[in-house]
Amino acid sequence: MEEDTELQQHLAALAASGQQALTREERLKRQRSLDALGAPSFAATCRDRGVAPLRRSAARIFQLNIGLYCNQACSHCHVESSPRRTAEQASRATVDRCLELLAGATAGTRGSADAITTLDITGGAPELNENFRYLVERAAPLGVEIINRCNLTVLLEPGQEDLVDFLARHKVRVVASLPCYSEGNVDAQRGRGVFERSIAGLHLLNAAGYGVDGSGLQLDLVYNPGGAFLAPAQSKLEAAYKSELGSAYGISFSRLLALNNMPIKRFADWLAKRGKLQEYMGLLVNGFNPAAGESLMCRDTVSVRWDGTLYDCDFNQQLDMALTHLGMGAGAGPAIDGAVGGAGGGGASSRPLTIWDISSLDELTGRPIRVDNHCFGCTAGSGSSCQGAVA
Ligand code: SF4
Ligand code: SF4
């Protein structure tokens, strides 16, 4: 109940102040916490700890955030999704341009070196975008792995009765959120009744062969902590998930991906309301792992917003830290801890770069990555990325 009230207050603040103002305020709170800890910037920390320069290499993963509409409104959502976000949806034109860029970057068109291997479709609830199935049907023949980031409950939404069969037919890899194997913890983070419906969704996926050995249909689950602590060791947690979900519900799955909570958006608000933001930032800074810095997902991921704007990652996308027209090319300046809304990694007047401004994904290779104080979430402990732990 307390979490529901907080979420309503947060959504009301969002409506009153606007996304950009809240994002700016949130960044300042993170920075004040770091200053109080005497922590250096993320870029300086990477440099001082011997991490390779923060520059983009050839893109391997093309991640499209197809829209922010979601049938849920989870308390830790880093993209601020909810059933109210109906306007921010990728159009057919955006999807078609993504397909063109993808087609020019796959192993089939350019050989295996530096080719895109994966189309990662996220949201919101991506399946509820009217162009989701159009995208999957046209991307499948390109020979890339297709990931659908699924919240499980969407499988039970009216009109989605054939969704599991559709995903299986196109061999889409399902990466599904289930932050715990206990009902109480899941419902606290994702809303009342979500655990029960998630289990029902998993049963539908297992019945179609997802997560079943030998089926060729991959089903991964995503864990994120239920509070202000880092994700535990991924392999140990996977064993516990497999044992608990198998014995209690007869559910099987392929792999568990353990993610840290990023100190942004609703989770940042959740921390600040409890006076825990500084403590959490301290945990991230003290847990800095140089090996995770080498494997940051932003090195080889290109992230695309519903409107076609380009980013280094989905977190930067939610913080309005777009790639920009200024500083194009491998010779551009160093990675900069950048302020929200364009200042920092390219200048306040920099125009965001979009999928229509580039003729090939190669144009992004060598650019400095736009890092800032939230990036400590990716390098703490075993590291964290959309593919789980990285170190
Ligand atoms: S299901 Fe995912 S996208 Fe939807 S509100 Fe929850 S965390 Fe956000
Ligand atoms: S949050 Fe920062 S470190 Fe993490 S993937 Fe994005 S740009 Fe890279």
Side-chain angles (χ1 to χ4, degrees), residues 3-4 7 10-11 70-83 151 153 177 179 186-192 194 224 265-267 270:
E3 302 256 321
D4 281 356
L7 182 58
H10 180 74
L11 292 174
C70 187
N71 57 319
Q72 292 182 193
C74 306
S75 63
H76 293 183
C77 183
H78 80 272
V79 299
E80 302 274 19
S81 280
S82 77
N151 68 15
T153 62
S177 316
V186 171
D187 283 3
Q189 194 178 125
R190 297 176 76 77
R192 227 167 296 133
V194 167
N224 66 285
K265 303 293 165 180
R266 285 184 201 156
F267 186 59
W270 185 93

Side-chain angles (χ1 to χ4, degrees), residues 348-391:
S349 63
S350 305
R351 270 190 306 127
L353 197 66
T354 75
I355 49 177
W356 290 278
D357 297 321
I358 57 171
S359 54
S360 152
L361 296 175
D362 291 342
E363 291 174 37
L364 307 179
T365 305
R367 288 178 58 111
I369 296 165
R370 290 195 66 182
V371 294
D372 198 7
N373 52 23
H374 61 290
C375 294
F376 283 105
C378 291
T379 48
S382 303
S384 186
S385 76
C386 290
Q387 305 296 329
V390 295

Side-chain angles (χ1 to χ4, degrees), residues 288-312:
F288 183 85
N289 179 351
E294 300 295 344
S295 306
L296 292 171
M297 65 176 170
C298 46
R299 293 187 186 277
D300 66 358
T301 298
V302 57
S303 165
V304 183
R305 192 164 71 175
W306 58 272
D307 63 356
T309 309
L310 290 159
Y311 300 83
D312 289 315

Side-chain angles (χ1 to χ4, degrees), residues 267-280:
F267 186 59
D269 189 59
W270 185 93
L271 288 167
K273 285 212 166 80
R274 286 159 182 77
K276 287 185 172 220
L277 183 59
Q278 187 169 321
E279 181 188 325
Y280 190 67

Side-chain angles (χ1 to χ4, degrees), residues 252-271:
S252 60
F253 65 95
S254 311
R255 289 181 55 216
L256 181 79
L257 313 180
L259 272 56
N260 290 334
N261 285 319
M262 292 299 279
I264 66 172
K265 303 293 165 180
R266 285 184 201 156
F267 186 59
D269 189 59
W270 185 93
L271 288 167

